[in-house]
Amino acid sequence: MANNANRQELYWTGGQFRFGLEHPNESAPDSVSAAIATIEEFRTACHKQYIAFYCAVTGRNLAHEKFKELAKSRDNRLFVGTQFPNAEQQPGHSCIAQLKISELLDRLVSGGEFESEHAKALIVMIFSLWEENYRHSIAEAMSVRKNQVSCALMNDIRHVRNCILHDNGIVSDGFADKLNLLSQIWKITSGELRITRGMLHSLMEQINALRVKIEPETTE
């Protein structure tokens, strides 16, 4: 893990949002400008994904109030689709999902399962955008290898993404020790990983002040 001095350089603690690119002194100005523009494009892409999440949260809050008022019994079920469940089911005219109202209301609450699952999907999307697109574009702009483009925050997100996809969202003991920056703004304990709207807000603050570094080329 990085020492406290290094963390302070990477971690946004207030003031105007500014992202940065650490690069060799001999880097061409045009290359640096192109790389910085790519970081800004990545930040904008993350904004769009977060706003989609925000709209989904707003919709879930409205849905919770709606179904809470309509539910005569928590044993009733919500059916979703284009046909009644007991009617003949045909392609394009079928009931495709159902859930007990009690389960629905529990999952719709603020900080509940639906919020966490959507937040996890956002994290996976953000890392995919970085790793499969923008990190590569920064490397191209700077004429370096992709593995020379490093970002402490995105490396943390990689660990969280791997927990979501490969460990079924279960946090193992010592997981927080792998994190360089997120452990300072998220409280992560072993057990089921829960990501809340507040946690994503803190993450987006750090993305707004993203720090990217061009590492020296290794001989390996």
Side-chain angles (χ1 to χ4, degrees), residues 18 21 30 103-105 118 142 150 155 173 180 191-192 196 204:
R18 288 189 177 91
L21 174 67
D30 288 348
E103 294 181 43
L104 175 66
L105 293 176
H118 284 173
M142 297 297 293
S150 70
N155 190 54
D173 293 338
N180 204 327
E192 181 184 359
T196 65
M204 289 301 299

Side-chain angles (χ1 to χ4, degrees), residues 71-107:
K72 297 180 180 179
S73 169
R74 287 175 63 88
D75 290 328
N76 287 344
R77 305 186 76 84
L78 172 72
F79 297 96
V80 179
T82 54
Q83 181 61 286
F84 293 106
N86 295 328
E88 182 181 358
Q89 307 293 300
Q90 296 180 349
H93 299 280
S94 61
C95 177
I96 56 175
Q98 58 177 293
L99 190 66
K100 287 180 62 175
I101 290 293
S102 58
E103 294 181 43
L104 175 66
L105 293 176
D106 290 343
R107 287 165 170 76

Side-chain angles (χ1 to χ4, degrees), residues 1 9 14 21 80 87 133 177 196:
M1 297 177 64
E9 293 174 359
L21 174 67
V80 179
N133 188 347
D177 295 335
T196 65

Side-chain angles (χ1 to χ4, degrees), residues 124-139:
V124 172
M125 174 63 75
I126 286 174
F127 182 76
S128 178
L129 287 170
W130 168 257
E131 188 66 17
E132 305 301 331
N133 188 347
Y134 292 97
R135 188 183 181 195
H136 177 74
S137 295
I138 293 169

